[in-house]
Amino acid sequence: MELEGDMMVSPMTREQIFNKVCDIMKNEALVQQDVEILMTSLMTDSLGMDSLDLIDLTMEVEREFRVKIPDDDFYKMKTYSVGEFCDVIESVLRK
C-alpha cells in the first residue's frame, strides 16, 4: 500500500490496469468499439494499431495513470501485446 495524502491507497491490480487500458484504446478510437481486446492481443497485429497509435496510447496512459513510461521500458517489449504493455504500466506504478 502507498500513502496518498492522508490515506493509504492499494496499488491497482493488473485487471484494473487492463480494463483502463482497454477503455483508453476504445475511447480514443485507437481500436473499434466492437473489437474484443484480450491480454494476448497484439497491438500492432490483431488490433491494427500503427506506430502513431502506440504513441497516442502511451501519452494517454501517462496522462490517465499520472506516470511517465520510460522509452526504454516501452522499446524492450518483445510482443507488444496488451498484457505486456499492462506489465510495463504496472512496473512503473510500483516504483
Side-chain angles (χ1 to χ4, degrees):
M1 290 192 157
E2 298 175 25
L3 184 62
E4 184 175 293
D6 292 333
M7 294 183 358
M8 294 298 284
V9 179
S10 298
M12 293 180 77
T13 66
R14 191 167 192 253
E15 183 177 345
Q16 290 170 320
I17 294 169
F18 172 74
N19 290 334
K20 195 164 200 170
V21 167
C22 291
D23 288 344
I24 292 169
M25 288 178 164
K26 290 185 177 191
N27 291 339
E28 296 298 316
L30 301 171
V31 175
Q32 294 180 353
Q33 291 292 326
D34 62 343
V35 171
E36 181 181 15
I37 302 173
L38 306 171
M39 285 280 195
T40 56
S41 297
L42 301 179
M43 294 187 288
T44 55
D45 293 337
S46 55
L47 298 180
M49 296 173 69
D50 63 22
S51 58
L52 292 177
D53 293 332
L54 293 175
I55 291 168
D56 288 344
L57 174 62
T58 302
M59 290 173 53
E60 191 60 29
V61 162
E62 289 177 334
R63 189 182 70 73
E64 285 288 323
F65 287 90
R66 297 182 193 153
V67 296
K68 173 68 177 134
I69 298 174
D71 291 342
D72 288 349
D73 289 356
F74 184 80
Y75 293 117
K76 285 181 188 172
M77 289 195 294
K78 292 178 175 43
T79 63
Y80 288 89
S81 70
V82 176
E84 188 176 25
F85 188 57
C86 290
D87 291 342
V88 168
I89 297 166
E90 185 176 30
S91 73
V92 171
L93 288 172
R94 302 234 184 274
K95 289 181 182 177

